[in-house]
Structure formats: C-alpha cells, structure tokens
Coordinates of all heavy atoms in Angstrom, one line a residue:
A1 N 127.4 11.6 92.3 CA 128.0 10.3 91.7 C 126.9 9.3 91.6 O 126.4 8.9 92.7 CB 129.2 9.9 92.4
L2 N 126.6 8.7 90.5 CA 125.6 7.7 90.4 C 126.1 6.3 90.5 O 125.4 5.4 90.9 CB 124.9 7.8 89.0 CG 124.1 9.0 88.7 CD1 123.5 9.0 87.3 CD2 122.9 9.0 89.7
E3 N 127.4 6.1 90.2 CA 128.0 4.8 90.2 C 127.8 4.1 91.6 O 128.1 4.6 92.6 CB 129.5 4.9 89.9 CG 130.2 3.6 89.8 CD 129.8 2.8 88.5 OE1 129.5 3.5 87.5 OE2 129.7 1.6 88.6
G4 N 127.2 2.9 91.5 CA 127.0 2.1 92.7 C 125.7 2.5 93.5 O 125.4 1.8 94.4
Y5 N 124.9 3.5 93.0 CA 123.7 3.9 93.7 C 122.7 2.8 93.5 O 122.5 2.3 92.4 CB 123.2 5.3 93.1 CG 122.1 5.8 93.9 CD1 122.3 6.6 95.0 CD2 120.8 5.6 93.4 CE1 121.3 7.1 95.7 CE2 119.7 6.2 94.1 CZ 119.9 6.9 95.3 OH 118.9 7.5 96.0
R6 N 122.0 2.5 94.6 CA 121.0 1.4 94.6 C 119.6 2.1 94.5 O 119.2 3.0 95.2 CB 121.1 0.5 95.8 CG 122.2 -0.4 95.8 CD 122.3 -1.2 97.1 NE 121.1 -1.9 97.4 CZ 121.1 -3.1 97.8 NH1 122.2 -3.9 97.8 NH2 120.0 -3.7 98.2
L7 N 118.8 1.5 93.6 CA 117.4 2.0 93.4 C 116.5 0.8 93.7 O 116.7 -0.3 93.1 CB 117.1 2.5 92.0 CG 117.7 3.8 91.6 CD1 117.6 4.0 90.1 CD2 116.9 4.9 92.3
T8 N 115.5 1.0 94.5 CA 114.5 -0.1 94.7 C 113.5 -0.1 93.6 O 113.4 0.9 92.8 CB 113.7 0.2 96.1 OG1 112.9 1.4 95.9 CG2 114.6 0.3 97.3
R9 N 112.7 -1.2 93.5 CA 111.7 -1.2 92.5 C 110.7 -0.1 92.6 O 110.2 0.5 91.6 CB 111.0 -2.6 92.5 CG 110.1 -2.9 91.4 CD 109.6 -4.3 91.2 NE 109.1 -4.8 92.5 CZ 109.3 -6.0 92.9 NH1 110.0 -6.8 92.2 NH2 108.8 -6.4 94.1
D10 N 110.3 0.2 93.8 CA 109.4 1.3 94.0 C 109.9 2.7 93.6 O 109.2 3.5 93.0 CB 108.9 1.3 95.5 CG 108.0 0.2 95.9 OD1 107.4 -0.4 95.0 OD2 108.0 0.0 97.1
E11 N 111.2 2.9 93.8 CA 111.9 4.1 93.4 C 111.9 4.2 91.9 O 111.7 5.3 91.3 CB 113.3 4.2 94.0 CG 113.3 4.5 95.5 CD 114.7 4.4 96.1 OE1 115.5 3.5 95.6 OE2 115.0 5.1 97.0
V12 N 112.2 3.1 91.2 CA 112.2 3.1 89.8 C 110.8 3.4 89.3 O 110.7 4.2 88.3 CB 112.7 1.7 89.2 CG1 112.5 1.6 87.7 CG2 114.2 1.5 89.6
K13 N 109.8 2.8 89.9 CA 108.4 3.1 89.4 C 108.1 4.6 89.6 O 107.5 5.2 88.7 CB 107.4 2.3 90.2 CG 106.0 2.5 89.8 CD 105.7 2.1 88.4 CE 104.2 2.2 88.1 NZ 104.0 2.0 86.7
E14 N 108.6 5.2 90.7 CA 108.3 6.7 90.9 C 109.0 7.4 89.8 O 108.4 8.4 89.3 CB 108.9 7.1 92.3 CG 108.0 6.5 93.4 CD 108.7 6.8 94.8 OE1 109.5 7.7 94.9 OE2 108.3 6.2 95.8
H15 N 110.2 7.1 89.4 CA 110.9 7.7 88.4 C 110.2 7.6 87.1 O 110.2 8.6 86.3 CB 112.4 7.3 88.3 CG 113.2 7.8 89.4 ND1 113.5 9.1 89.6 CD2 113.9 7.1 90.4 CE1 114.4 9.3 90.7 NE2 114.5 8.0 91.2
V16 N 109.7 6.4 86.8 CA 108.9 6.1 85.6 C 107.8 7.1 85.5 O 107.5 7.8 84.5 CB 108.5 4.7 85.5 CG1 107.5 4.5 84.3 CG2 109.7 3.7 85.2
N17 N 107.0 7.2 86.6 CA 105.8 8.0 86.6 C 106.2 9.5 86.4 O 105.5 10.1 85.6 CB 105.0 7.9 87.9 CG 104.4 6.6 88.0 OD1 104.1 5.8 87.0 ND2 104.1 6.1 89.2
R18 N 107.3 9.9 87.0 CA 107.7 11.3 86.8 C 108.2 11.6 85.4 O 107.8 12.5 84.8 CB 108.9 11.6 87.8 CG 109.7 12.9 87.5 CD 109.2 14.0 88.4 NE 110.2 15.1 88.4 CZ 109.9 16.2 87.6 NH1 108.9 16.3 86.9 NH2 110.8 17.1 87.5
L19 N 109.0 10.6 84.8 CA 109.4 10.9 83.5 C 108.3 10.8 82.5 O 108.2 11.6 81.5 CB 110.4 9.7 83.1 CG 111.8 9.9 83.8 CD1 112.6 8.5 83.6 CD2 112.6 11.1 83.4
L20 N 107.3 10.0 82.7 CA 106.2 9.9 81.8 C 105.3 11.2 81.9 O 104.5 11.5 80.9 CB 105.3 8.7 82.0 CG 105.9 7.4 81.7 CD1 105.1 6.2 82.2 CD2 106.1 7.3 80.1
S21 N 105.4 11.9 82.9 CA 104.5 13.1 83.1 C 105.2 14.3 82.5 O 104.6 15.4 82.3 CB 104.3 13.4 84.6 OG 105.5 13.9 85.2
L22 N 106.5 14.3 82.1 CA 107.2 15.4 81.5 C 107.0 15.4 80.0 O 107.0 14.4 79.3 CB 108.7 15.2 81.8 CG 109.0 15.3 83.3 CD1 110.6 15.1 83.5 CD2 108.6 16.6 83.9
S23 N 107.1 16.6 79.5 CA 107.0 16.8 78.0 C 108.5 16.6 77.5 O 109.4 16.5 78.2 CB 106.6 18.2 77.7 OG 107.6 19.2 78.1
F24 N 108.6 16.4 76.2 CA 109.9 16.2 75.6 C 110.8 17.4 75.9 O 112.0 17.2 76.2 CB 109.9 16.1 74.1 CG 111.2 16.0 73.4 CD1 112.0 14.9 73.6 CD2 111.6 17.0 72.7 CE1 113.2 14.8 73.0 CE2 112.9 17.0 72.0 CZ 113.7 15.8 72.2
D25 N 110.3 18.6 75.9 CA 111.1 19.8 76.2 C 111.6 19.8 77.7 O 112.7 20.2 78.0 CB 110.3 21.1 75.9 CG 110.2 21.4 74.4 OD1 111.1 20.9 73.7 OD2 109.2 22.0 74.0
E26 N 110.7 19.2 78.5 CA 111.1 19.2 79.9 C 112.2 18.1 80.1 O 113.1 18.3 80.9 CB 109.9 18.9 80.8 CG 109.0 20.1 80.9 CD 107.6 19.7 81.6 OE1 107.1 18.6 81.3 OE2 107.1 20.6 82.4
L27 N 112.0 17.0 79.4 CA 113.0 15.9 79.5 C 114.4 16.4 79.0 O 115.5 16.0 79.6 CB 112.6 14.7 78.7 CG 111.4 13.9 79.3 CD1 110.9 12.9 78.1 CD2 111.8 13.2 80.5
R28 N 114.4 17.1 77.9 CA 115.7 17.6 77.3 C 116.5 18.4 78.2 O 117.8 18.4 78.1 CB 115.4 18.4 76.0 CG 114.9 17.7 74.9 CD 114.7 18.6 73.7 NE 114.8 20.0 74.0 CZ 115.1 21.0 73.2 NH1 115.4 20.7 72.0 NH2 115.2 22.3 73.6
V29 N 115.9 19.1 79.2 CA 116.7 20.0 80.0 C 117.0 19.5 81.4 O 117.6 20.1 82.2 CB 116.0 21.4 80.2 CG1 115.9 22.1 78.9 CG2 114.6 21.3 80.8
L30 N 116.6 18.2 81.6 CA 117.0 17.5 82.9 C 118.5 17.4 83.0 O 119.2 17.0 82.0 CB 116.4 16.1 82.9 CG 114.9 16.0 83.1 CD1 114.5 14.5 83.1 CD2 114.5 16.6 84.5
P31 N 119.0 17.7 84.1 CA 120.5 17.7 84.3 C 121.0 16.2 84.1 O 120.4 15.3 84.5 CB 120.7 18.0 85.8 CG 119.5 18.7 86.2 CD 118.4 18.2 85.3
G32 N 122.1 16.1 83.3 CA 122.7 14.8 83.0 C 122.1 14.0 82.0 O 122.6 12.9 81.7
I33 N 121.0 14.5 81.4 CA 120.4 13.7 80.3 C 120.8 14.2 78.9 O 120.7 15.4 78.6 CB 118.8 13.9 80.4 CG1 118.3 13.4 81.8 CG2 118.1 13.1 79.3 CD1 118.7 12.0 82.2
S34 N 121.3 13.3 78.1 CA 121.7 13.6 76.7 C 120.4 14.0 75.9 O 119.4 13.3 76.0 CB 122.4 12.5 76.1 OG 122.5 12.7 74.7
V35 N 120.5 15.1 75.2 CA 119.4 15.5 74.4 C 119.0 14.4 73.4 O 117.9 14.2 73.0 CB 119.7 16.8 73.6 CG1 118.7 17.2 72.5 CG2 120.0 18.0 74.5
N36 N 120.1 13.7 73.0 CA 119.8 12.6 72.0 C 119.1 11.4 72.6 O 118.6 10.5 71.8 CB 121.2 12.1 71.4 CG 121.9 13.2 70.6 OD1 121.2 14.1 70.0 ND2 123.2 13.1 70.5
R37 N 119.1 11.3 73.9 CA 118.4 10.2 74.5 C 117.1 10.6 75.3 O 116.4 9.8 75.9 CB 119.4 9.5 75.5 CG 120.5 8.9 74.7 CD 121.4 8.0 75.6 NE 122.4 7.4 74.8 CZ 123.0 6.3 75.1 NH1 122.7 5.7 76.2 NH2 123.9 5.8 74.3
A38 N 116.8 11.8 75.3 CA 115.7 12.3 76.1 C 114.4 11.7 75.7 O 113.5 11.3 76.5 CB 115.6 13.8 76.0
D39 N 114.2 11.4 74.4 CA 113.0 10.9 73.9 C 112.8 9.4 74.3 O 111.6 8.9 74.4 CB 112.9 11.0 72.4 CG 114.0 10.3 71.6 OD1 115.1 10.1 72.2 OD2 113.8 10.0 70.4
I40 N 113.9 8.7 74.5 CA 113.7 7.2 74.8 C 113.9 7.0 76.3 O 113.6 5.8 76.8 CB 114.8 6.4 74.1 CG1 116.2 6.8 74.5 CG2 114.6 6.5 72.6 CD1 117.3 5.9 74.0
L41 N 114.2 8.0 77.2 CA 114.4 7.8 78.6 C 113.1 7.2 79.3 O 113.2 6.3 80.0 CB 114.8 9.1 79.2 CG 115.2 9.0 80.7 CD1 116.3 8.0 81.0 CD2 115.5 10.4 81.2
P42 N 111.9 7.8 79.1 CA 110.7 7.3 79.7 C 110.5 5.8 79.4 O 110.1 5.0 80.3 CB 109.6 8.2 79.3 CG 110.2 9.4 78.9 CD 111.5 9.0 78.3
A43 N 110.6 5.4 78.1 CA 110.3 4.1 77.7 C 111.4 3.2 78.4 O 111.1 2.0 78.8 CB 110.4 4.0 76.2
G44 N 112.7 3.5 78.3 CA 113.7 2.8 78.9 C 113.5 2.5 80.4 O 113.7 1.5 80.9
A45 N 113.1 3.6 81.1 CA 112.8 3.4 82.6 C 111.6 2.5 82.8 O 111.7 1.6 83.7 CB 112.5 4.8 83.1
A46 N 110.6 2.6 81.9 CA 109.4 1.7 82.0 C 109.9 0.2 81.8 O 109.4 -0.7 82.5 CB 108.3 2.1 81.1
I47 N 110.7 0.0 80.7 CA 111.2 -1.3 80.5 C 112.0 -1.9 81.7 O 111.8 -3.0 82.1 CB 112.0 -1.3 79.2 CG1 111.1 -1.1 78.0 CG2 112.8 -2.7 79.1 CD1 111.9 -0.8 76.7
L48 N 112.9 -1.0 82.3 CA 113.6 -1.5 83.4 C 112.7 -1.8 84.6 O 112.9 -3.0 85.2 CB 114.6 -0.3 83.9 CG 115.2 -0.6 85.3 CD1 116.1 -1.8 85.2 CD2 116.0 0.7 85.7
H49 N 111.7 -1.1 84.8 CA 110.7 -1.4 85.9 C 110.0 -2.7 85.6 O 110.0 -3.6 86.5 CB 109.6 -0.3 86.1 CG 108.7 -0.6 87.2 ND1 107.5 -1.0 86.9 CD2 108.9 -0.6 88.5 CE1 106.9 -1.3 88.1 NE2 107.7 -1.0 89.1
Q50 N 109.5 -2.9 84.4 CA 108.9 -4.2 84.1 C 109.8 -5.4 84.1 O 109.4 -6.5 84.6 CB 108.2 -4.1 82.7 CG 106.9 -3.2 82.8 CD 106.0 -3.6 83.8 OE1 105.6 -4.8 83.9 NE2 105.5 -2.7 84.6
A51 N 111.1 -5.2 83.8 CA 112.0 -6.3 83.9 C 112.3 -6.6 85.4 O 112.4 -7.8 85.7 CB 113.4 -5.9 83.3
M52 N 112.3 -5.6 86.2 CA 112.5 -5.9 87.6 C 111.3 -6.7 88.2 O 111.5 -7.6 89.0 CB 112.7 -4.5 88.4 CG 113.9 -3.8 88.1 SD 114.1 -2.2 88.9 CE 114.4 -2.7 90.6
V53 N 110.1 -6.2 87.7 CA 108.9 -7.0 88.2 C 108.9 -8.4 87.7 O 108.7 -9.4 88.5 CB 107.6 -6.3 87.7 CG1 106.4 -7.1 88.0 CG2 107.4 -4.9 88.3
Y54 N 109.2 -8.6 86.5 CA 109.3 -10.0 85.8 C 110.3 -10.9 86.5 O 110.0 -12.1 86.8 CB 109.5 -9.9 84.4 CG 109.5 -11.2 83.7 CD1 108.4 -11.9 83.4 CD2 110.7 -11.7 83.3 CE1 108.4 -13.1 82.7 CE2 110.8 -13.0 82.7 CZ 109.6 -13.7 82.4 OH 109.7 -14.9 81.7
L55 N 111.5 -10.3 86.8 CA 112.6 -11.1 87.4 C 112.5 -11.2 88.9 O 113.3 -11.9 89.5 CB 113.9 -10.4 86.9 CG 114.2 -10.5 85.4 CD1 115.4 -9.7 85.1 CD2 114.3 -12.0 85.0
G56 N 111.6 -10.4 89.5 CA 111.5 -10.4 90.9 C 112.6 -9.7 91.7 O 112.9 -10.0 92.8
L57 N 113.2 -8.7 91.0 CA 114.3 -7.9 91.6 C 113.8 -6.8 92.5 O 112.9 -6.1 92.1 CB 115.2 -7.3 90.5 CG 115.8 -8.2 89.5 CD1 116.5 -7.5 88.4 CD2 116.7 -9.2 90.2
D58 N 114.3 -6.7 93.7 CA 113.8 -5.7 94.6 C 114.7 -4.4 94.5 O 114.2 -3.3 95.0 CB 113.7 -6.1 96.0 CG 115.1 -6.6 96.6 OD1 116.0 -6.7 95.8 OD2 115.1 -6.7 97.8
H59 N 115.8 -4.6 93.8 CA 116.6 -3.3 93.6 C 117.6 -3.5 92.4 O 117.8 -4.7 91.9 CB 117.4 -3.0 94.8 CG 118.6 -3.9 95.0 ND1 118.4 -5.1 95.7 CD2 119.9 -3.9 94.7 CE1 119.6 -5.8 95.8 NE2 120.5 -5.0 95.2
V60 N 118.1 -2.5 91.8 CA 119.1 -2.5 90.9 C 120.2 -1.6 91.3 O 120.0 -0.6 92.2 CB 118.6 -2.0 89.4 CG1 117.7 -3.1 88.9 CG2 118.0 -0.6 89.5
T61 N 121.4 -1.8 90.9 CA 122.6 -0.9 91.1 C 123.0 -0.1 89.9 O 123.2 -0.8 88.8 CB 123.8 -1.8 91.7 OG1 123.3 -2.5 92.8 CG2 124.9 -0.9 92.1
V62 N 123.1 1.1 90.0 CA 123.4 2.0 88.9 C 124.9 1.9 88.5 O 125.7 1.9 89.4 CB 123.1 3.5 89.2 CG1 123.5 4.4 88.0 CG2 121.6 3.6 89.5
S63 N 125.2 1.8 87.2 CA 126.5 1.8 86.7 C 126.6 2.7 85.5 O 125.7 2.6 84.6 CB 127.0 0.4 86.4 OG 128.3 0.5 85.8
T64 N 127.6 3.5 85.5 CA 127.8 4.4 84.3 C 128.9 3.7 83.4 O 129.3 4.3 82.4 CB 128.4 5.7 84.8 OG1 129.6 5.6 85.6 CG2 127.3 6.5 85.7
Q65 N 129.3 2.5 83.7 CA 130.4 1.8 83.0 C 129.9 1.1 81.7 O 130.7 0.7 81.0 CB 131.1 0.9 83.9 CG 131.7 1.5 85.2 CD 132.7 2.6 84.8 OE1 133.6 2.3 83.9 NE2 132.7 3.8 85.4
G66 N 128.7 0.8 81.6 CA 128.2 0.1 80.4 C 127.9 -1.4 80.8 O 128.3 -2.0 81.8
L67 N 127.1 -2.0 79.9 CA 126.6 -3.4 80.1 C 127.8 -4.4 80.2 O 127.8 -5.3 81.1 CB 125.7 -3.8 79.0 CG 125.0 -5.2 79.0 CD1 124.2 -5.3 80.3 CD2 124.2 -5.4 77.8
R68 N 128.8 -4.3 79.3 CA 129.9 -5.3 79.4 C 130.6 -5.2 80.7 O 131.0 -6.2 81.3 CB 130.9 -5.0 78.3 CG 130.3 -5.5 76.9 CD 131.3 -5.2 75.8 NE 131.3 -3.7 75.7 CZ 131.7 -3.1 74.6 NH1 132.1 -3.8 73.6 NH2 131.6 -1.8 74.5
F69 N 130.8 -4.1 81.2 CA 131.4 -3.9 82.6 C 130.6 -4.6 83.7 O 131.2 -5.3 84.5 CB 131.6 -2.4 82.9 CG 132.2 -2.1 84.3 CD1 133.5 -2.2 84.4 CD2 131.3 -1.9 85.4 CE1 134.1 -2.0 85.8 CE2 131.9 -1.7 86.7 CZ 133.3 -1.7 86.8
G70 N 129.3 -4.4 83.6 CA 128.4 -5.0 84.6 C 128.5 -6.6 84.5 O 128.5 -7.3 85.5
I71 N 128.5 -7.1 83.3 CA 128.6 -8.6 83.1 C 129.9 -9.1 83.6 O 130.0 -10.1 84.4 CB 128.4 -8.9 81.6 CG1 126.9 -8.6 81.2 CG2 128.8 -10.3 81.4 CD1 126.8 -8.6 79.7
M72 N 131.0 -8.3 83.3 CA 132.4 -8.8 83.9 C 132.4 -8.6 85.4 O 132.9 -9.5 86.0 CB 133.5 -7.9 83.2 CG 133.6 -8.3 81.7 SD 135.1 -7.4 81.0 CE 134.9 -5.8 81.4
R73 N 131.8 -7.6 85.9 CA 131.8 -7.5 87.4 C 131.0 -8.7 88.0 O 131.5 -9.2 89.1 CB 131.1 -6.2 87.7 CG 131.2 -5.8 89.2 CD 130.6 -4.4 89.4 NE 130.6 -4.0 90.8 CZ 130.2 -2.9 91.2 NH1 129.5 -2.0 90.4 NH2 130.3 -2.7 92.5
V74 N 129.9 -9.0 87.5 CA 129.1 -10.1 88.1 C 130.0 -11.4 87.9 O 130.1 -12.2 88.9 CB 127.7 -10.3 87.4 CG1 127.1 -11.6 87.7 CG2 126.9 -9.1 87.8
A75 N 130.5 -11.6 86.7 CA 131.3 -12.9 86.5 C 132.5 -12.9 87.5 O 132.9 -14.0 88.0 CB 131.8 -12.9 85.1
A76 N 133.2 -11.9 87.7 CA 134.3 -11.8 88.6 C 133.9 -12.1 90.0 O 134.6 -12.8 90.8 CB 135.0 -10.4 88.5
A77 N 132.7 -11.6 90.5 CA 132.3 -11.8 91.8 C 131.9 -13.3 92.0 O 132.0 -13.8 93.1 CB 131.0 -10.9 92.1
E78 N 131.4 -13.9 90.9 CA 131.0 -15.3 91.0 C 132.2 -16.3 91.1 O 132.1 -17.3 91.6 CB 130.1 -15.7 89.8 CG 128.8 -15.1 89.9 CD 128.0 -15.4 88.6 OE1 128.5 -16.0 87.7 OE2 126.8 -15.0 88.6
T79 N 133.4 -15.8 90.6 CA 134.6 -16.7 90.6 C 135.5 -16.5 91.9 O 136.4 -17.3 92.1 CB 135.4 -16.4 89.4 OG1 135.9 -15.0 89.4 CG2 134.7 -16.8 88.1
T80 N 135.2 -15.5 92.7 CA 136.0 -15.2 93.8 C 135.3 -15.7 95.1 O 134.2 -16.0 95.2 CB 136.3 -13.8 94.0 OG1 135.1 -12.9 94.1 CG2 137.2 -13.3 92.9

C-alpha cells in the first residue's frame, strides 16, 4: 500500500536515478506502472525531485487519491 508512504528527498533522487537508467521496455514492465505512463515516469520523478529542492522539502507523502484530494486534505488540516 502506497497511500501515506513518506519519501525523503534523497530517496526520491535515488528513484529518479534508477528510473533514468531503465529503458522504455524495462519501465513498461515495472509492477504497478501503467504502460500509458511509463514514458513520462522518469521526467515526472525528476520534476518532483527538483520541486522538492526548490521548495526546501525534506519529504513528500504519497497519495493515490489525486491532487484535489491532497489539496482538500491540507485545507482540512489547516482549519482544525
């Protein structure tokens, strides 16, 4: 289960390096990776890492619920 899993900036960087080292065919067969998104996964991971560096974030929390869910979760936490 990925929901709620925390990744440090260093862990994200390790994943970026690993993803960049794989061929498209290797990316396509990774468990849990949609074939339709395999080609953009390395770039997305690299963007995430650079955003973390730019924003000074030391970790991110994985959510499978989507961006709107995350925004609502943060907003709810701020009001309680």
Side-chain angles (χ1 to χ4, degrees):
L2 291 176
E3 187 67 35
Y5 188 81
R6 285 174 54 131
L7 286 167
T8 67
R9 186 169 51 219
D10 289 340
E11 289 172 326
V12 171
K13 180 62 174 171
E14 289 173 19
H15 287 294
V16 168
N17 291 337
R18 167 100 168 97
L19 292 169
L20 290 172
S21 74
L22 298 175
S23 70
F24 176 70
D25 288 333
E26 291 170 320
L27 288 167
R28 287 180 352 149
V29 297
L30 288 174
I33 303 303
S34 166
V35 173
N36 296 333
R37 295 187 177 205
D39 61 334
I40 63 170
L41 184 60
I47 291 168
L48 171 61
H49 180 258
Q50 287 304 310
M52 292 176 74
V53 170
Y54 180 78
L55 296 170
L57 302 175
D58 61 346
H59 73 276
V60 291
T61 304
V62 175
S63 175
T64 59
Q65 302 296 315
L67 183 59
R68 286 177 290 201
F69 177 82
I71 292 169
M72 289 188 308
R73 186 175 181 184
V74 168
E78 290 176 355
T79 60
T80 58

